[in-house]
Structure formats: C-alpha cells, structure tokens
Amino acid sequence: MPTHGHGNLSAAALQGFLLEGFEGGLETQALLFAMFLALYVVTVLGNLTMIVVTSVDARLHSPMYFFLKNLSFLDLCYSSVIAPNALANFFSPSKVITFAGCATQLFFFSLLVTAEGFLLGVMAYDRFMAICSPLRYPVTMCPATCTRLVLGTYCGGCLNSAVQTGLTFQLPFCGSNRIDHFFCDVPPLLQLACADTALNERVMFGVCGFIIVGVTVVVLVSYSYIAVTILRMRSAAGRHKVFSTCGSHMTAVTLFVGTVFVTYAQPGAVESMEQGKVVSVFYTLVIPMLNPLIYSLRNEDVKEALRRLGQRHALVQELRGLCPVPSGFLSPSKERTCLSTQTSGRAKATGEKIGIFTLPRMEKPEMQGTAPPTPGSVVAVDWLGAGT
C-alpha cells in the first residue's frame, strides 16, 4: 500500500476511486449505455474480422497487412481496457475502482495507445519502402524486421506507460477520491492530487508532444516521397490503388493524432475535463470502430478477401449439408467434408479456390487396399488447405 508525505497512508489507496462518468438521469444513462455498447460491439466484431481475414487469406500475408493486423489487435485491446468497466458503471450504484485496478487500467491503456501511435509511424515507413523502393522492399521489410518493428512499438509504449503511471501514482491523493471521468486517465487523476503536479504535466505534455511530432514527421516525410513517386506513375490504375491505400492510412493517422493532441498535448488539457470526456469517447471507442471500416472500405484487397471468406464459408456450409462425413473415414485432426463430382464443377465456376481436391485418406490399416473412387462417386475437399 503506498505511503506519502511523512508516512501518511493515501486516503484514495484505502477507499479506491469513484468514477463519476457522465452526468444525467436514468434515461441519459440508458442512452449512453446503449451507445457505448453499440460502439464496443462493432469495434470487437470489426477488428476481429480484420485479424481473421489478414490471417487466413494467403494473399494478405505481406508486411502491410501484418502491421494492419497488429493495429486491429491494439484497437481491440485498448478499447477492451476501457469499455467493459465503463458499461458496468452506468447502472452500478457504487462505480468504485480500486487503487490497484485504477493503476492497472492506466498502465495498459497508456501502453496500448502509445504503441498504436508508434505503429502508425511504422506503417507510413512501410508504405514508403513499398512504393519508393520496391526492389529493396522484400529484403528491407522481411518478416524478422517487421516483427522487430512491432516489438519496438510495444517497448516504446511500455516505457511511456511505466513513466506516466509511476509519476501519477506516487502523488498523494489525500482529498476527494471522485474521478471526473469514465476511466482512469492522467489528467483527471492529477486534479485529485494534493501536491504540486507541475512535473507530471510537463512530462505528459513533453512525451505526448514527442510522440505526436515524431509520428507526424515520419508520416509527412514518407508521404512526401510517396506523392512524388505517384506523380511519376504512368498507370492510372496503379495511382488509384496507391492513393486508396495511403488515403486510408492518412485518415487513421489524422484521427488518432488529432484526438491525442486535444486530450494530452495542448495547454489547459488537464483542466478541460468535460471536453476531455467527449474526446476520450472518440479515441477509446469511435476510432477503434472506424479503423477497420476505413481500411476495408477503401482497400480493394481487403474487400476482395472478405468476399472470398464469405463465399468460402457459405460454400463449406452448403457442402457439409449435402454430404456429411462418415464417422472414422477422415482424420479427426482436420475438418474435411465431401463433395460430389457434380457440385465440384459449380464450385470451380465461381472462380473461388476454396481448397485442394484430394482423395480420402486411408488411415486405418484395413482400408489400405480400398480402390480409388469411381467417376460419379465422392471425393474429399480440404477446404482449409492452400488454394491452387
């Protein structure tokens, strides 16, 4: 348990903190609960979809979509750090969060948001290498390099989070324990401290300013070179594809940097709590919800992958209903279904490569002498296998 001053125990450490959230009666709280729930559900579904699509579609196994998958993971995680507790507090009579729970929430939220800021800069550099140095791109952005870059964003986030959380919770909270916010964040916590918070504010403004300026410089420099390269392209289709991809990233960067600046890096940010709560809803729930939509609606590769995934799922469900697998016929470790030769032509006609057509595996010793299937009989489809 933390002590402060001359060994006096912090009152907030004993009582916990009270998250006041938003003002209003029962109807207002119900409306806000419905809004938060809708935003969070869409956020979870959208980001999980992006993670699944970029994982299972072999055409999206490139550095750009590796970073996009990590962006979706960060959006999913940091919205989940905030939203479930905020939803529970709308109708909770106490709305209390423990001292340790508040510190944990702040630590992980700061870590994930900072990592996302760095990741957006990494994604801009990736686009710069892909468009301006296409011959060197496969070597420069190899899987090992991409992994190290992502780990670097988490390390940077962890460092900033440790500094912010440590400096904030070493302060004495000997006054009110009511946090004028819907989650534990640095600005509202500094208002509760009964000590000089000038150092904390300078560190917060300095670190956030450094992250914002650093990410912005990387993005602007990268896209300046990209713009010059695009103007030299002769192919209109190529220019359109590059503009579409880069436009999605620029939109995400603008939304993220703008809201973080308003909340943490502008003078008077600590005092403006009402504005802070509204902006916080935007970057904790709205931006994580919008990112999958931005990258899917403006990216033809992602839209095509979503169509392929939907067609594959629909066809597999249809095939399972048409031809159930006999018990013990196929390996229990893999999901396999069967397809008649009459329906295989229709599957090929869709142009969708759902899997490799193979003969049934004769895994049992007594089945080794079984003759191959005759025309018109059933063959197995490994719908999870790589397309050919």
Side-chain angles (χ1 to χ4, degrees), residues 57-77:
D57 196 300
R59 296 172 179 84
L60 301 184
H61 290 176
S62 66
M64 171 181 162
Y65 295 105
F66 173 74
F67 295 131
L68 181 56
K69 178 167 63 175
N70 280 276
L71 179 67
S72 294
F73 176 75
L74 287 171
D75 283 336
L76 179 63
C77 287

Side-chain angles (χ1 to χ4, degrees), residues 134-155:
L135 298 180
R136 296 172 52 194
Y137 180 68
V139 177
T140 305
M141 301 302 291
C142 64
T145 301
C146 293
T147 303
R148 285 194 291 267
L149 287 171
V150 170
L151 289 177
T153 65
Y154 283 97
C155 290

